[in-house]
Amino acid sequence: MASEHGMVTKNIVVLGGSYGGISIAHYFLKHILPALPQKQEYKVVIVSAASEAMCRQACPRALISDDLFPQNKLFVSIPKQFEQYHPGQFEFIHGSATSVDHEGRVVIIGSAANSQTQVLAYHALVIPTGASTPSPLFGLNVGDEKNLREAWEEFRNGLETAKSIVIAGGGPAGVETAGELGEHLNGRAGFFSSRIENPKVSITIVTSAKHILPHLRPSIAKTAEDHLTKVGVTVIKNNRVVSVNPNNAGVSTDKIASGALLNLSDGTNLQADLFIPATGFSPNTKFLAKDILDSSTSQVDTNPSTLRVDKAGPRIYAIGDASNYARAAVHSIMAAVPVLGTNMKRDLLLEAGVPESQMPAEKVFKEDRRETQLVPIGKAKGVGAAMGWRLPSWLVWLLKGRDYWLWTVAPVWSGKQWAKES
Ligand SMILES: Cc1cc2nc3c(=O)[nH]c(=O)nc-3n(C[C@H](O)[C@H](O)[C@H](O)COP(=O)(O)OP(=O)(O)OC[C@H]3O[C@@H](n4cnc5c(N)ncnc54)[C@H](O)[C@@H]3O)c2cc1C
C-alpha cells in the first residue's frame, strides 16, 4: 500500500488562494496535520486561478495608481507563504477547478499555463473560490494578477482624459471608488464650503436604493453623501442603469475606457467617459453541481453552523464569498476559519480511527449580524459602524482609510494570524 511507503494518499484540496483558502491551508498545516496519526499520508493542495494573493479591499484606491500602495505588500506570492512547511506537506497548483465529481471524489483542474487538465483526488475538499465583480477593477475574479493589472492599466489610460465618470451601485465599493476618484481628480472643498464649485471631472453614483450604503443606518449614509459632495461626487438615488451602450462597457477589459451611453430607469440618459459597474458580485461557483448550490444566490449551500457542505458528501466545506454561511466580508471569514478548521480536524481524526474521547469538541459558527462596515471617503474622511456602534470619521481613517486594511493582511497570508489554535 502506498501509505506504508510514506506516500501521500490523502489530499486536502483547497480551491482558491485568498482570505479563505490561504487561512484554511495554514490552519490545517499548523493545527490539524500534527494531530493526525499517519501524518505522511496527508498533504494540502491549494489550487488557485491566481498565483498571488491580493488585498482586495484596497482596490478602490489601488486602481488609480501603483504609487498609492507598496506593490510588494498589495500582491504576494501564494507558494512563498508556504515555504515555511515541509515541502512534502504542501503543493500549489496554478489553475482553475473546472468541475468536481462528488461520487468519484476528484477535482478537474485546467492549468493556468497551458491547455492541459489534471484530475486530482481529494480526501477533504474546501471551497473558498470567492466571488467576481462585474467590473474587472475590483479583484482577481476568476483570472490571475496579470488580468487585474491589465484592467487597471486600461482604466488609468482612460482616466488621463476623462471628463465624466459614472458608477452604478451605491454599496461600499461604489462609494469608496467615487470618494477616491473624487479626491484624486477634484480635490476636496474647504472647511466652510459644502461642495466643489466646478469639479474638474463630473463623478456620479447611480443607485436604485433610497440611500447609499444600505447596510448602514440612513443617518450614516447621509454623512457619507455629504463627504462625497465635498469631493465633487453627485448621487442619483431611486434610479438604476437599465441599459449600457456598448453593452459590455466597463465589464470587458478592452471596454473599460470605451465610454458608454447609459439609459436610466426614469427614462433619462447619461454619457460617461468611464463607466464602472459596482453592483454587487456573483459567486465563483459555476464549476460546481447545481444541487449543492443555494438556488437563490448561487453560493455553495453550506451548513451555517458547521460550515460543512452536507449535500456534497463527507469532509467537504465552504467558506468566504462563495458560500452562503454569512455576509460576504473578510471579518466573517476570520471568524469562520477556527470553526471550519476544528470541525475538519474532528472529521479527519474520526476517519483515521481516533476515538471520540481524544477529539476537540465540535465548534459552531454564529454570524455577528450587528451593523459593521467601514467606508473611507478619500484619504482623510470616512463613515462607518462596528458591532452596532457608529464610528467617528477619524477612527474610520485610522482603521481603514489610511491604507484600506493593508496593515492587516500580512499575518493572514503568512499564517501568523493562525499561530494559535483558537
Ligand atoms: C472592492 C471591494 C472592497 C471590499 N472591501 C471590503 C472591506 O473593506 N471589508 C471586508 O470585510 N470585505 C471587503 N470586501 C469583501 C472581501 O474582499 C471578500 O469578502 C473577500 O475577498 C472574500 O475572500 P474569499 O477568500 O472568499 O475569496 P476572494 O477574495 O474572492 O478570492 C477567491 C480566490 O479564488 C480564486 N478562484 C476563483 N475561481 C477559482 C476556481 N474555479 N479554481 C481555483 N481558484 C479559483 C481566485 O483567483 C481568488 O484567488 C470587499 C470586496 C470588494 C470587491
Side-chain angles (χ1 to χ4, degrees), residues 303-349:
N303 183 319
S305 304
T306 66
L307 308 178
R308 296 186 181 100
V309 186
D310 296 325
K311 286 184 223 165
R315 300 182 299 281
I316 301 187
Y317 316 82
I319 190 170
D321 294 7
S323 163
N324 68 351
Y325 73 120
R327 215 179 92 198
V330 174
H331 48 89
S332 307
I333 299 175
M334 296 299 119
V337 166
V339 177
L340 195 164
T342 304
N343 294 343
M344 186 202 261
K345 184 173 186 173
R346 279 180 60 86
D347 297 344
L348 291 173
L349 288 171

Side-chain angles (χ1 to χ4, degrees), residues 77-352:
S77 149
I78 299 168
K80 243 185 153 46
Q81 310 305 312
F82 292 88
E83 282 173 0
Q84 59 188 297
Y85 303 102
H86 187 284
Q89 296 174 344
F90 176 81
E91 185 184 343
F92 179 74
I93 298 178
H94 188 193
S96 297
T98 54
S99 68
V100 176
D101 170 359
H102 293 294
E103 298 289 311
R105 293 181 75 85
V106 294
V107 184
I108 315 298
I109 300 160
S111 163
N114 50 46
S115 56
Q116 282 176 359
T117 56
Q118 181 178 345
V119 180
L120 183 68
Y122 61 84
H123 181 63
L125 179 70
V126 189
I127 309 171
T129 42
S132 292
T133 49
S135 165
L137 300 170
F138 294 131
L140 299 162
N141 292 342
V142 293
D144 73 8
E145 53 281 354
K146 282 187 219 74
N147 304 120
L148 177 58
R149 288 194 175 283
E150 266 166 38
W152 285 351
E153 194 58 43
E154 277 294 312
F155 181 78
R156 291 167 188 173
N157 288 340
L159 205 53
E160 284 175 17
T161 52
K163 290 276 161 259
S164 57
I165 301 174
V166 176
I167 297 169
V175 169
E176 288 171 357
T177 305
E180 293 299 324
L181 289 170
E183 192 182 65
H184 177 74
L185 299 165
N186 298 327
R188 186 179 285 274
F191 193 76
F192 295 105
S193 19
S194 60
R195 64 180 61 247
I196 289 192
E197 278 321 321
N198 289 305
K200 217 173 114 223
V201 178
S202 115
I203 303 172
T204 310
I205 294 177
V206 180
T207 174
S208 58
K210 285 206 294 284
H211 62 82
I212 54 173
L213 303 175
H215 280 297
L216 293 169
R217 70 192 90 161
S219 61
I220 300 183
K222 171 72 177 68
T223 308
E225 214 179 312
D226 294 343
H227 287 315
L228 286 171
T229 307
K230 283 205 160 208
V231 294
V233 175
T234 308
V235 179
I236 299 179
K237 288 170 279 195
N238 298 308
N239 209 337
R240 69 166 71 228
V241 175
V242 286
S243 70
V244 181
N245 189 5
N247 64 8
N248 51 357
V251 173
S252 71
T253 297
D254 62 333
K255 293 275 189 310
I256 282 183
S258 64
L261 179 66
L262 311 167
N263 296 114
L264 305 192
S265 52
D266 70 352
T268 57
N269 293 329
L270 278 178
Q271 177 70 45
D273 294 332
L274 292 170
F275 171 58
I276 308 175
T279 44
F281 64 86
S282 52
N284 299 327
T285 54
K286 288 203 179 76
F287 65 99
L288 292 166
K290 284 244 170 352
D291 58 1
I292 69 159
L293 302 184
D294 174 333
S295 57
S296 61
T297 64
S298 297
Q299 288 165 311
V300 180
D301 199 6
T302 311
N303 183 319
S305 304
T306 66
L307 308 178
R308 296 186 181 100
V309 186
D310 296 325
K311 286 184 223 165
R315 300 182 299 281
I316 301 187
Y317 316 82
I319 190 170
D321 294 7
S323 163
N324 68 351
Y325 73 120
R327 215 179 92 198
V330 174
H331 48 89
S332 307
I333 299 175
M334 296 299 119
V337 166
V339 177
L340 195 164
T342 304
N343 294 343
M344 186 202 261
K345 184 173 186 173
R346 279 180 60 86
D347 297 344
L348 291 173
L349 288 171
L350 195 68
E351 195 277 338

Side-chain angles (χ1 to χ4, degrees), residues 24-86:
I24 280 300
H26 282 299
Y27 197 97
F28 173 82
L29 291 161
K30 287 184 193 301
H31 307 301
I32 304 179
L33 186 61
L36 288 165
Q38 302 287 331
K39 298 177 201 12
Q40 72 284 0
E41 288 184 352
Y42 298 83
K43 168 168 82 168
V44 61
V45 185
I46 292 186
V47 179
S48 177
S51 66
E52 294 183 351
M54 67 116 18
C55 179
R56 190 170 200 176
Q57 298 112 306
C59 286
R61 183 175 294 163
L63 57 83
I64 294 176
S65 157
D66 279 354
D67 299 335
L68 298 172
F69 292 102
Q71 298 295 303
N72 61 347
K73 293 206 170 100
L74 192 61
F75 291 86
V76 302
S77 149
I78 299 168
K80 243 185 153 46
Q81 310 305 312
F82 292 88
E83 282 173 0
Q84 59 188 297
Y85 303 102
H86 187 284

